[in-house]
Amino acid sequence: MNGLMKLDRIDINILVQLQKDGRISNVNLADAVGLSPSPCLQRVKRLEQAGFITGYEAHINLTKITDSVTVFTEVTLSGHRREDFMKFENAVREVDELMECHLITGGYDYLLRFLTRSIEHYQEVIEKMLDAQIGIDKYFSYIVIKSPIMKSSVPLRSLIAKHNPVDFGV
C-alpha cells in the first residue's frame, strides 16, 4: 500500500487506460490522461521501473481455438504445518492447467481454478496430483457451466478511493 500512496491522479489514470488497452499509442494515452506525449512516456517508464506495471499481454478468445472446461476445486490438506503448505504450493506451481491457487479461511485450505480440455482431462490432472502425495486429504470439484462475468482488469479507482479519496475521473 505504501507504493500506492506515491501515485498521483495522472499515474492512476495512466494505469486505468493501460488496463483497458495495453497497446494504446503513447500519443493516444497522453491525450486520454491530459498530458503531452513526452511526459506521458516518462511516467509510463517510471511506473514500469517501479514495478506498478509488470507486463503487457494479449487476451485470447479461447473459444475460437478449442473447447475447455473450468473447474474450481476446494482442497483440504492432511497436515497443517508450514512445511505442509510449502510442499503443496511448490508442487502445484508445476501444474500447467492450474490457473489460480488461493490459500483461504473457512472449511478447506485452498481454492484452485483449473482450465482443462475436458472433465476427463481434469480428472487426470487431479489423479496425478493425488499420486504425487503432496498432502491432499480431500478435494471437492465444481465444474463451471457458464461464466457470465469475467474481468481481467482490476477496479483500480474504487480500490484506491478508500485510501485516497481523490476524483480520478478522466
Side-chain angles (χ1 to χ4, degrees), residues 46 50 77 80 84 93 105 142 165:
R46 181 177 52 83
L77 300 182
H80 290 93
D84 299 321
R93 273 188 182 84
T105 62
Y142 302 90

Side-chain angles (χ1 to χ4, degrees), residues 98-170:
L98 181 63
M99 304 305 292
E100 296 179 37
C101 174
H102 305 276
L103 177 62
I104 61 172
T105 62
Y108 49 95
D109 299 315
Y110 288 94
L111 179 63
L112 311 178
R113 181 174 67 92
F114 291 93
L115 186 62
T116 61
R117 291 184 306 275
S118 62
I119 295 169
E120 293 79 16
H121 179 206
Y122 166 75
Q123 191 60 37
E124 291 170 13
V125 171
I126 279 293
E127 287 174 1
K128 187 175 179 182
M129 289 172 61
L130 292 169
D131 290 344
Q133 298 185 7
I134 56 175
I136 297 175
D137 180 42
K138 59 185 172 182
Y139 72 95
F140 295 95
S141 305
Y142 302 90
I143 298 165
V144 174
I145 305 293
K146 178 181 172 184
S147 299
I149 300 170
M150 289 185 65
K151 298 178 182 179
S152 60
S153 60
V154 297
L156 196 52
R157 287 187 178 112
S158 62
L159 291 172
I160 292 173
K162 179 180 177 188
H163 300 289
N164 190 2
V166 175
D167 179 15
F168 295 115
V170 176

